[in-house]
Amino acid sequence: MKNKVLYVVVPCYNEEEVLEETTKRLKEKLNTLIKSKKISNKSKAMYVNDGSKDNTWELIKKINKKEKLFTGISLSRNRGHQNALLAGLMTAKNYADVVISMDADLQDDINAIDEMIDKYHSGCEIVYGVRSSRKKDTWFKRTTAQVFYKFMKFMGVDVVYNHADYRLTSKRVLDEFENYKEVNLFLRGMFPLVGFKWDVVYYERHERFAGESKYPLKKMLNFAWDGITSFSVRPIRLVLNLGIIIFLVSIIILLYCLIVKLLGKTVTGWTFIVGSIWLVAGIQMLSIGIIGEYIGKIYSETKRRPRYIISENLEELKKG
């Protein structure tokens, strides 16, 4: 089981400020693992340039020429974190026995890799990196994160609590994962669907070393919504249930109106009527919007456009 080839996949979007420090720490970690014979000396870190607007790709090529433990691929344009990560995973599995994905900002504890490798050697095909606490987060971020995971579970999405995209996956898992062809990606919800023996490694998440977060609030909300609508039809079922409730209430109101009319009582009811119209109209618009989101995703899936295009692969250029 030992001396397996490990590739560490690191998506990069405008990460020139942090990339040299990330390289320094990854190099030290890979060398330590190689010396202890936990991984093969053919192991590498693979940077994935996600259409960066700064000098990230030039820096990756420079690192590749200087350091034998580092390689990289560049996407033809910015495709977003999930697509960039997928591109790295699907490329790395062609060269590696096991792949670990992590972010470039050094918030993921690199030292957790040792325990991930140990669990892999003990027979685990997937090892999830899970945050041990959120003490360093602001109250707002901590609260919204908890709401996010609980809401995802309520919606029927199987996700590992407090796990992002720091995980180990074997080549066997990635070969099976390649059969998942959906365009709307939510990787942390997709990997549990693959199955196989899995475990978790707990680690303390650090502050970002440099640069700005690539996931502001708006992006996080969009990401959460993509996850819900890609894995659960429960929102549509909630709309159906809401429609049934409104229908039943409308029958009761209709009966009430008929009784009042038969009794000869006149009720102005202006506030009630106007309020009812606005309420029902709002619910209808919300319902149409939710259904429209699903139709939009169906539209994206049926087009079957490529999820990413690799313009350069430094690993293949070296072979050539």
PDB file of all heavy atoms in Angstrom, residues 214-246:
ATOM      1  N   LYS A 214     -12.026  34.442  -2.315  1.00  0.00           N
ATOM      2  CA  LYS A 214     -12.673  34.324  -3.635  1.00  0.00           C
ATOM      3  C   LYS A 214     -14.135  33.925  -3.495  1.00  0.00           C
ATOM      4  O   LYS A 214     -14.819  33.680  -4.476  1.00  0.00           O
ATOM      5  CB  LYS A 214     -11.931  33.274  -4.478  1.00  0.00           C
ATOM      6  CG  LYS A 214     -10.431  33.556  -4.637  1.00  0.00           C
ATOM      7  CD  LYS A 214     -10.158  34.918  -5.223  1.00  0.00           C
ATOM      8  CE  LYS A 214      -8.689  35.176  -5.483  1.00  0.00           C
ATOM      9  NZ  LYS A 214      -7.866  35.202  -4.283  1.00  0.00           N
ATOM     10  N   TYR A 215     -14.625  33.859  -2.228  1.00  0.00           N
ATOM     11  CA  TYR A 215     -16.011  33.490  -1.972  1.00  0.00           C
ATOM     12  C   TYR A 215     -16.686  34.525  -1.084  1.00  0.00           C
ATOM     13  O   TYR A 215     -16.931  34.279   0.097  1.00  0.00           O
ATOM     14  CB  TYR A 215     -16.097  32.099  -1.323  1.00  0.00           C
ATOM     15  CG  TYR A 215     -16.248  30.979  -2.316  1.00  0.00           C
ATOM     16  CD1 TYR A 215     -15.142  30.272  -2.755  1.00  0.00           C
ATOM     17  CD2 TYR A 215     -17.493  30.637  -2.825  1.00  0.00           C
ATOM     18  CE1 TYR A 215     -15.262  29.246  -3.678  1.00  0.00           C
ATOM     19  CE2 TYR A 215     -17.638  29.608  -3.748  1.00  0.00           C
ATOM     20  CZ  TYR A 215     -16.518  28.919  -4.171  1.00  0.00           C
ATOM     21  OH  TYR A 215     -16.656  27.904  -5.087  1.00  0.00           O
ATOM     22  N   PRO A 216     -17.004  35.714  -1.620  1.00  0.00           N
ATOM     23  CA  PRO A 216     -17.782  36.691  -0.851  1.00  0.00           C
ATOM     24  C   PRO A 216     -19.192  36.172  -0.617  1.00  0.00           C
ATOM     25  O   PRO A 216     -19.586  35.128  -1.143  1.00  0.00           O
ATOM     26  CB  PRO A 216     -17.777  37.925  -1.751  1.00  0.00           C
ATOM     27  CG  PRO A 216     -17.574  37.393  -3.127  1.00  0.00           C
ATOM     28  CD  PRO A 216     -16.701  36.171  -2.976  1.00  0.00           C
ATOM     29  N   LEU A 217     -19.978  36.933   0.170  1.00  0.00           N
ATOM     30  CA  LEU A 217     -21.313  36.480   0.574  1.00  0.00           C
ATOM     31  C   LEU A 217     -22.195  36.131  -0.620  1.00  0.00           C
ATOM     32  O   LEU A 217     -22.854  35.087  -0.641  1.00  0.00           O
ATOM     33  CB  LEU A 217     -21.985  37.556   1.429  1.00  0.00           C
ATOM     34  CG  LEU A 217     -23.412  37.230   1.896  1.00  0.00           C
ATOM     35  CD1 LEU A 217     -23.430  35.980   2.758  1.00  0.00           C
ATOM     36  CD2 LEU A 217     -23.999  38.417   2.663  1.00  0.00           C
ATOM     37  N   LYS A 218     -22.202  36.994  -1.647  1.00  0.00           N
ATOM     38  CA  LYS A 218     -23.061  36.756  -2.812  1.00  0.00           C
ATOM     39  C   LYS A 218     -22.709  35.437  -3.496  1.00  0.00           C
ATOM     40  O   LYS A 218     -23.584  34.652  -3.877  1.00  0.00           O
ATOM     41  CB  LYS A 218     -22.922  37.916  -3.804  1.00  0.00           C
ATOM     42  CG  LYS A 218     -23.835  37.792  -5.020  1.00  0.00           C
ATOM     43  CD  LYS A 218     -23.660  38.969  -5.968  1.00  0.00           C
ATOM     44  CE  LYS A 218     -24.545  38.812  -7.200  1.00  0.00           C
ATOM     45  NZ  LYS A 218     -24.362  39.933  -8.154  1.00  0.00           N
ATOM     46  N   LYS A 219     -21.396  35.173  -3.627  1.00  0.00           N
ATOM     47  CA  LYS A 219     -20.939  33.946  -4.276  1.00  0.00           C
ATOM     48  C   LYS A 219     -21.294  32.726  -3.430  1.00  0.00           C
ATOM     49  O   LYS A 219     -21.654  31.670  -3.952  1.00  0.00           O
ATOM     50  CB  LYS A 219     -19.440  34.020  -4.502  1.00  0.00           C
ATOM     51  CG  LYS A 219     -18.963  33.328  -5.767  1.00  0.00           C
ATOM     52  CD  LYS A 219     -17.536  33.680  -6.078  1.00  0.00           C
ATOM     53  CE  LYS A 219     -17.152  33.148  -7.450  1.00  0.00           C
ATOM     54  NZ  LYS A 219     -15.764  33.513  -7.791  1.00  0.00           N
ATOM     55  N   MET A 220     -21.185  32.880  -2.109  1.00  0.00           N
ATOM     56  CA  MET A 220     -21.524  31.775  -1.209  1.00  0.00           C
ATOM     57  C   MET A 220     -23.005  31.438  -1.298  1.00  0.00           C
ATOM     58  O   MET A 220     -23.384  30.268  -1.291  1.00  0.00           O
ATOM     59  CB  MET A 220     -21.154  32.135   0.231  1.00  0.00           C
ATOM     60  CG  MET A 220     -19.673  32.044   0.543  1.00  0.00           C
ATOM     61  SD  MET A 220     -19.006  30.365   0.346  1.00  0.00           S
ATOM     62  CE  MET A 220     -19.891  29.504   1.634  1.00  0.00           C
ATOM     63  N   LEU A 221     -23.852  32.461  -1.386  1.00  0.00           N
ATOM     64  CA  LEU A 221     -25.293  32.221  -1.495  1.00  0.00           C
ATOM     65  C   LEU A 221     -25.627  31.513  -2.807  1.00  0.00           C
ATOM     66  O   LEU A 221     -26.445  30.583  -2.825  1.00  0.00           O
ATOM     67  CB  LEU A 221     -26.053  33.551  -1.401  1.00  0.00           C
ATOM     68  CG  LEU A 221     -26.029  34.241  -0.029  1.00  0.00           C
ATOM     69  CD1 LEU A 221     -26.676  35.618  -0.116  1.00  0.00           C
ATOM     70  CD2 LEU A 221     -26.738  33.384   1.024  1.00  0.00           C
ATOM     71  N   ASN A 222     -24.987  31.946  -3.896  1.00  0.00           N
ATOM     72  CA  ASN A 222     -25.192  31.284  -5.190  1.00  0.00           C
ATOM     73  C   ASN A 222     -24.723  29.836  -5.155  1.00  0.00           C
ATOM     74  O   ASN A 222     -25.354  28.936  -5.707  1.00  0.00           O
ATOM     75  CB  ASN A 222     -24.446  32.042  -6.294  1.00  0.00           C
ATOM     76  CG  ASN A 222     -25.083  33.374  -6.619  1.00  0.00           C
ATOM     77  OD1 ASN A 222     -26.279  33.562  -6.409  1.00  0.00           O
ATOM     78  ND2 ASN A 222     -24.288  34.312  -7.113  1.00  0.00           N
ATOM     79  N   PHE A 223     -23.583  29.621  -4.475  1.00  0.00           N
ATOM     80  CA  PHE A 223     -23.025  28.278  -4.345  1.00  0.00           C
ATOM     81  C   PHE A 223     -23.977  27.370  -3.562  1.00  0.00           C
ATOM     82  O   PHE A 223     -24.211  26.216  -3.939  1.00  0.00           O
ATOM     83  CB  PHE A 223     -21.668  28.377  -3.635  1.00  0.00           C
ATOM     84  CG  PHE A 223     -20.942  27.068  -3.506  1.00  0.00           C
ATOM     85  CD1 PHE A 223     -20.573  26.348  -4.629  1.00  0.00           C
ATOM     86  CD2 PHE A 223     -20.616  26.560  -2.265  1.00  0.00           C
ATOM     87  CE1 PHE A 223     -19.893  25.143  -4.525  1.00  0.00           C
ATOM     88  CE2 PHE A 223     -19.933  25.359  -2.140  1.00  0.00           C
ATOM     89  CZ  PHE A 223     -19.581  24.656  -3.267  1.00  0.00           C
ATOM     90  N   ALA A 224     -24.518  27.915  -2.468  1.00  0.00           N
ATOM     91  CA  ALA A 224     -25.464  27.140  -1.655  1.00  0.00           C
ATOM     92  C   ALA A 224     -26.723  26.795  -2.449  1.00  0.00           C
ATOM     93  O   ALA A 224     -27.219  25.663  -2.401  1.00  0.00           O
ATOM     94  CB  ALA A 224     -25.832  27.935  -0.400  1.00  0.00           C
ATOM     95  N   TRP A 225     -27.222  27.766  -3.205  1.00  0.00           N
ATOM     96  CA  TRP A 225     -28.432  27.531  -4.005  1.00  0.00           C
ATOM     97  C   TRP A 225     -28.172  26.489  -5.088  1.00  0.00           C
ATOM     98  O   TRP A 225     -29.013  25.638  -5.355  1.00  0.00           O
ATOM     99  CB  TRP A 225     -28.914  28.839  -4.609  1.00  0.00           C
ATOM    100  CG  TRP A 225     -30.172  28.705  -5.405  1.00  0.00           C
ATOM    101  CD1 TRP A 225     -30.333  28.906  -6.729  1.00  0.00           C
ATOM    102  CD2 TRP A 225     -31.468  28.320  -4.916  1.00  0.00           C
ATOM    103  NE1 TRP A 225     -31.624  28.682  -7.111  1.00  0.00           N
ATOM    104  CE2 TRP A 225     -32.354  28.319  -6.021  1.00  0.00           C
ATOM    105  CE3 TRP A 225     -31.955  27.982  -3.659  1.00  0.00           C
ATOM    106  CZ2 TRP A 225     -33.693  27.987  -5.900  1.00  0.00           C
ATOM    107  CZ3 TRP A 225     -33.306  27.648  -3.541  1.00  0.00           C
ATOM    108  CH2 TRP A 225     -34.150  27.652  -4.643  1.00  0.00           C
ATOM    109  N   ASP A 226     -26.990  26.552  -5.714  1.00  0.00           N
ATOM    110  CA  ASP A 226     -26.623  25.547  -6.713  1.00  0.00           C
ATOM    111  C   ASP A 226     -26.597  24.158  -6.097  1.00  0.00           C
ATOM    112  O   ASP A 226     -27.042  23.180  -6.704  1.00  0.00           O
ATOM    113  CB  ASP A 226     -25.243  25.861  -7.307  1.00  0.00           C
ATOM    114  CG  ASP A 226     -25.302  26.976  -8.339  1.00  0.00           C
ATOM    115  OD1 ASP A 226     -26.416  27.254  -8.832  1.00  0.00           O
ATOM    116  OD2 ASP A 226     -24.256  27.562  -8.641  1.00  0.00           O
ATOM    117  N   GLY A 227     -26.052  24.076  -4.877  1.00  0.00           N
ATOM    118  CA  GLY A 227     -25.992  22.790  -4.196  1.00  0.00           C
ATOM    119  C   GLY A 227     -27.372  22.216  -3.919  1.00  0.00           C
ATOM    120  O   GLY A 227     -27.627  21.023  -4.112  1.00  0.00           O
ATOM    121  N   ILE A 228     -28.277  23.083  -3.475  1.00  0.00           N
ATOM    122  CA  ILE A 228     -29.634  22.630  -3.139  1.00  0.00           C
ATOM    123  C   ILE A 228     -30.378  22.171  -4.400  1.00  0.00           C
ATOM    124  O   ILE A 228     -30.947  21.078  -4.444  1.00  0.00           O
ATOM    125  CB  ILE A 228     -30.415  23.758  -2.442  1.00  0.00           C
ATOM    126  CG1 ILE A 228     -29.810  24.030  -1.060  1.00  0.00           C
ATOM    127  CG2 ILE A 228     -31.895  23.392  -2.303  1.00  0.00           C
ATOM    128  CD1 ILE A 228     -30.285  25.318  -0.440  1.00  0.00           C
ATOM    129  N   THR A 229     -30.355  23.003  -5.437  1.00  0.00           N
ATOM    130  CA  THR A 229     -31.133  22.693  -6.640  1.00  0.00           C
ATOM    131  C   THR A 229     -30.495  21.592  -7.487  1.00  0.00           C
ATOM    132  O   THR A 229     -31.167  21.005  -8.337  1.00  0.00           O
ATOM    133  CB  THR A 229     -31.323  23.955  -7.502  1.00  0.00           C
ATOM    134  OG1 THR A 229     -30.042  24.561  -7.765  1.00  0.00           O
ATOM    135  CG2 THR A 229     -32.210  24.960  -6.795  1.00  0.00           C
ATOM    136  N   SER A 230     -29.196  21.316  -7.263  1.00  0.00           N
ATOM    137  CA  SER A 230     -28.542  20.252  -8.021  1.00  0.00           C
ATOM    138  C   SER A 230     -28.771  18.877  -7.401  1.00  0.00           C
ATOM    139  O   SER A 230     -28.596  17.860  -8.061  1.00  0.00           O
ATOM    140  CB  SER A 230     -27.030  20.515  -8.113  1.00  0.00           C
ATOM    141  OG  SER A 230     -26.766  21.672  -8.855  1.00  0.00           O
ATOM    142  N   PHE A 231     -29.146  18.856  -6.130  1.00  0.00           N
ATOM    143  CA  PHE A 231     -29.228  17.574  -5.430  1.00  0.00           C
ATOM    144  C   PHE A 231     -30.588  17.264  -4.826  1.00  0.00           C
ATOM    145  O   PHE A 231     -30.805  16.173  -4.325  1.00  0.00           O
ATOM    146  CB  PHE A 231     -28.183  17.522  -4.304  1.00  0.00           C
ATOM    147  CG  PHE A 231     -26.803  17.241  -4.793  1.00  0.00           C
ATOM    148  CD1 PHE A 231     -25.999  18.257  -5.243  1.00  0.00           C
ATOM    149  CD2 PHE A 231     -26.312  15.947  -4.822  1.00  0.00           C
ATOM    150  CE1 PHE A 231     -24.727  18.008  -5.719  1.00  0.00           C
ATOM    151  CE2 PHE A 231     -25.052  15.679  -5.291  1.00  0.00           C
ATOM    152  CZ  PHE A 231     -24.250  16.708  -5.741  1.00  0.00           C
ATOM    153  N   SER A 232     -31.498  18.217  -4.840  1.00  0.00           N
ATOM    154  CA  SER A 232     -32.767  17.973  -4.169  1.00  0.00           C
ATOM    155  C   SER A 232     -33.928  18.589  -4.941  1.00  0.00           C
ATOM    156  O   SER A 232     -33.817  19.695  -5.476  1.00  0.00           O
ATOM    157  CB  SER A 232     -32.722  18.572  -2.752  1.00  0.00           C
ATOM    158  OG  SER A 232     -33.968  18.453  -2.105  1.00  0.00           O
ATOM    159  N   VAL A 233     -35.047  17.852  -4.994  1.00  0.00           N
ATOM    160  CA  VAL A 233     -36.274  18.384  -5.586  1.00  0.00           C
ATOM    161  C   VAL A 233     -37.219  18.849  -4.487  1.00  0.00           C
ATOM    162  O   VAL A 233     -38.362  19.198  -4.751  1.00  0.00           O
ATOM    163  CB  VAL A 233     -36.986  17.317  -6.464  1.00  0.00           C
ATOM    164  CG1 VAL A 233     -36.134  16.962  -7.658  1.00  0.00           C
ATOM    165  CG2 VAL A 233     -37.322  16.072  -5.647  1.00  0.00           C
ATOM    166  N   ARG A 234     -36.717  18.883  -3.244  1.00  0.00           N
ATOM    167  CA  ARG A 234     -37.567  19.264  -2.123  1.00  0.00           C
ATOM    168  C   ARG A 234     -38.131  20.681  -2.262  1.00  0.00           C
ATOM    169  O   ARG A 234     -39.288  20.910  -1.872  1.00  0.00           O
ATOM    170  CB  ARG A 234     -36.807  19.117  -0.805  1.00  0.00           C
ATOM    171  CG  ARG A 234     -37.724  19.204   0.407  1.00  0.00           C
ATOM    172  CD  ARG A 234     -37.042  18.716   1.676  1.00  0.00           C
ATOM    173  NE  ARG A 234     -36.827  17.286   1.638  1.00  0.00           N
ATOM    174  CZ  ARG A 234     -36.306  16.606   2.665  1.00  0.00           C
ATOM    175  NH1 ARG A 234     -35.941  17.247   3.760  1.00  0.00           N
ATOM    176  NH2 ARG A 234     -36.134  15.302   2.588  1.00  0.00           N
ATOM    177  N   PRO A 235     -37.383  21.675  -2.797  1.00  0.00           N
ATOM    178  CA  PRO A 235     -38.002  22.996  -2.977  1.00  0.00           C
ATOM    179  C   PRO A 235     -39.260  22.960  -3.828  1.00  0.00           C
ATOM    180  O   PRO A 235     -40.243  23.647  -3.529  1.00  0.00           O
ATOM    181  CB  PRO A 235     -36.887  23.808  -3.669  1.00  0.00           C
ATOM    182  CG  PRO A 235     -35.629  23.192  -3.189  1.00  0.00           C
ATOM    183  CD  PRO A 235     -35.940  21.718  -3.105  1.00  0.00           C
ATOM    184  N   ILE A 236     -39.259  22.137  -4.889  1.00  0.00           N
ATOM    185  CA  ILE A 236     -40.456  22.021  -5.730  1.00  0.00           C
ATOM    186  C   ILE A 236     -41.586  21.351  -4.953  1.00  0.00           C
ATOM    187  O   ILE A 236     -42.758  21.737  -5.076  1.00  0.00           O
ATOM    188  CB  ILE A 236     -40.135  21.230  -7.019  1.00  0.00           C
ATOM    189  CG1 ILE A 236     -39.257  22.090  -7.940  1.00  0.00           C
ATOM    190  CG2 ILE A 236     -41.407  20.842  -7.757  1.00  0.00           C
ATOM    191  CD1 ILE A 236     -38.929  21.449  -9.258  1.00  0.00           C
ATOM    192  N   ARG A 237     -41.232  20.372  -4.133  1.00  0.00           N
ATOM    193  CA  ARG A 237     -42.255  19.709  -3.316  1.00  0.00           C
ATOM    194  C   ARG A 237     -42.828  20.665  -2.272  1.00  0.00           C
ATOM    195  O   ARG A 237     -44.022  20.613  -1.966  1.00  0.00           O
ATOM    196  CB  ARG A 237     -41.650  18.484  -2.636  1.00  0.00           C
ATOM    197  CG  ARG A 237     -41.376  17.344  -3.618  1.00  0.00           C
ATOM    198  CD  ARG A 237     -40.679  16.188  -2.970  1.00  0.00           C
ATOM    199  NE  ARG A 237     -40.394  15.138  -3.949  1.00  0.00           N
ATOM    200  CZ  ARG A 237     -39.603  14.102  -3.712  1.00  0.00           C
ATOM    201  NH1 ARG A 237     -39.008  13.975  -2.530  1.00  0.00           N
ATOM    202  NH2 ARG A 237     -39.396  13.192  -4.643  1.00  0.00           N
ATOM    203  N   LEU A 238     -41.988  21.544  -1.747  1.00  0.00           N
ATOM    204  CA  LEU A 238     -42.475  22.550  -0.802  1.00  0.00           C
ATOM    205  C   LEU A 238     -43.435  23.504  -1.484  1.00  0.00           C
ATOM    206  O   LEU A 238     -44.445  23.913  -0.904  1.00  0.00           O
ATOM    207  CB  LEU A 238     -41.291  23.327  -0.211  1.00  0.00           C
ATOM    208  CG  LEU A 238     -40.392  22.562   0.775  1.00  0.00           C
ATOM    209  CD1 LEU A 238     -39.197  23.421   1.169  1.00  0.00           C
ATOM    210  CD2 LEU A 238     -41.180  22.153   2.013  1.00  0.00           C
ATOM    211  N   VAL A 239     -43.120  23.860  -2.736  1.00  0.00           N
ATOM    212  CA  VAL A 239     -44.016  24.715  -3.521  1.00  0.00           C
ATOM    213  C   VAL A 239     -45.356  24.010  -3.726  1.00  0.00           C
ATOM    214  O   VAL A 239     -46.425  24.617  -3.601  1.00  0.00           O
ATOM    215  CB  VAL A 239     -43.374  25.073  -4.880  1.00  0.00           C
ATOM    216  CG1 VAL A 239     -44.401  25.705  -5.811  1.00  0.00           C
ATOM    217  CG2 VAL A 239     -42.199  26.013  -4.681  1.00  0.00           C
ATOM    218  N   LEU A 240     -45.306  22.700  -4.031  1.00  0.00           N
ATOM    219  CA  LEU A 240     -46.528  21.909  -4.213  1.00  0.00           C
ATOM    220  C   LEU A 240     -47.357  21.899  -2.931  1.00  0.00           C
ATOM    221  O   LEU A 240     -48.574  22.133  -2.960  1.00  0.00           O
ATOM    222  CB  LEU A 240     -46.170  20.485  -4.625  1.00  0.00           C
ATOM    223  CG  LEU A 240     -47.336  19.494  -4.711  1.00  0.00           C
ATOM    224  CD1 LEU A 240     -48.347  19.939  -5.767  1.00  0.00           C
ATOM    225  CD2 LEU A 240     -46.829  18.091  -5.020  1.00  0.00           C
ATOM    226  N   ASN A 241     -46.689  21.649  -1.799  1.00  0.00           N
ATOM    227  CA  ASN A 241     -47.395  21.621  -0.513  1.00  0.00           C
ATOM    228  C   ASN A 241     -47.993  22.983  -0.184  1.00  0.00           C
ATOM    229  O   ASN A 241     -49.112  23.084   0.326  1.00  0.00           O
ATOM    230  CB  ASN A 241     -46.449  21.180   0.600  1.00  0.00           C
ATOM    231  CG  ASN A 241     -46.025  19.728   0.447  1.00  0.00           C
ATOM    232  OD1 ASN A 241     -46.761  18.925  -0.121  1.00  0.00           O
ATOM    233  ND2 ASN A 241     -44.847  19.393   0.931  1.00  0.00           N
ATOM    234  N   LEU A 242     -47.224  24.039  -0.484  1.00  0.00           N
ATOM    235  CA  LEU A 242     -47.714  25.395  -0.241  1.00  0.00           C
ATOM    236  C   LEU A 242     -48.931  25.680  -1.107  1.00  0.00           C
ATOM    237  O   LEU A 242     -49.905  26.298  -0.649  1.00  0.00           O
ATOM    238  CB  LEU A 242     -46.604  26.402  -0.540  1.00  0.00           C
ATOM    239  CG  LEU A 242     -46.865  27.862  -0.161  1.00  0.00           C
ATOM    240  CD1 LEU A 242     -47.107  27.987   1.334  1.00  0.00           C
ATOM    241  CD2 LEU A 242     -45.685  28.728  -0.575  1.00  0.00           C
ATOM    242  N   GLY A 243     -48.887  25.216  -2.363  1.00  0.00           N
ATOM    243  CA  GLY A 243     -50.025  25.397  -3.258  1.00  0.00           C
ATOM    244  C   GLY A 243     -51.269  24.691  -2.754  1.00  0.00           C
ATOM    245  O   GLY A 243     -52.379  25.229  -2.832  1.00  0.00           O
ATOM    246  N   ILE A 244     -51.090  23.479  -2.199  1.00  0.00           N
ATOM    247  CA  ILE A 244     -52.235  22.730  -1.646  1.00  0.00           C
ATOM    248  C   ILE A 244     -52.836  23.472  -0.457  1.00  0.00           C
ATOM    249  O   ILE A 244     -54.060  23.581  -0.321  1.00  0.00           O
ATOM    250  CB  ILE A 244     -51.779  21.319  -1.237  1.00  0.00           C
ATOM    251  CG1 ILE A 244     -51.408  20.500  -2.484  1.00  0.00           C
ATOM    252  CG2 ILE A 244     -52.870  20.606  -0.445  1.00  0.00           C
ATOM    253  CD1 ILE A 244     -50.749  19.176  -2.169  1.00  0.00           C
ATOM    254  N   ILE A 245     -51.943  24.006   0.404  1.00  0.00           N
ATOM    255  CA  ILE A 245     -52.419  24.735   1.592  1.00  0.00           C
ATOM    256  C   ILE A 245     -53.202  25.979   1.180  1.00  0.00           C
ATOM    257  O   ILE A 245     -54.289  26.254   1.705  1.00  0.00           O
ATOM    258  CB  ILE A 245     -51.219  25.131   2.491  1.00  0.00           C
ATOM    259  CG1 ILE A 245     -50.602  23.877   3.121  1.00  0.00           C
ATOM    260  CG2 ILE A 245     -51.661  26.103   3.584  1.00  0.00           C
ATOM    261  CD1 ILE A 245     -49.294  24.126   3.817  1.00  0.00           C
ATOM    262  N   ILE A 246     -52.646  26.729   0.201  1.00  0.00           N
ATOM    263  CA  ILE A 246     -53.334  27.939  -0.267  1.00  0.00           C
ATOM    264  C   ILE A 246     -54.675  27.584  -0.903  1.00  0.00           C
ATOM    265  O   ILE A 246     -55.675  28.280  -0.720  1.00  0.00           O
ATOM    266  CB  ILE A 246     -52.437  28.710  -1.263  1.00  0.00           C
ATOM    267  CG1 ILE A 246     -51.207  29.273  -0.542  1.00  0.00           C
ATOM    268  CG2 ILE A 246     -53.205  29.837  -1.938  1.00  0.00           C
ATOM    269  CD1 ILE A 246     -50.201  29.924  -1.453  1.00  0.00           C
TER     270      ILE A 246
END
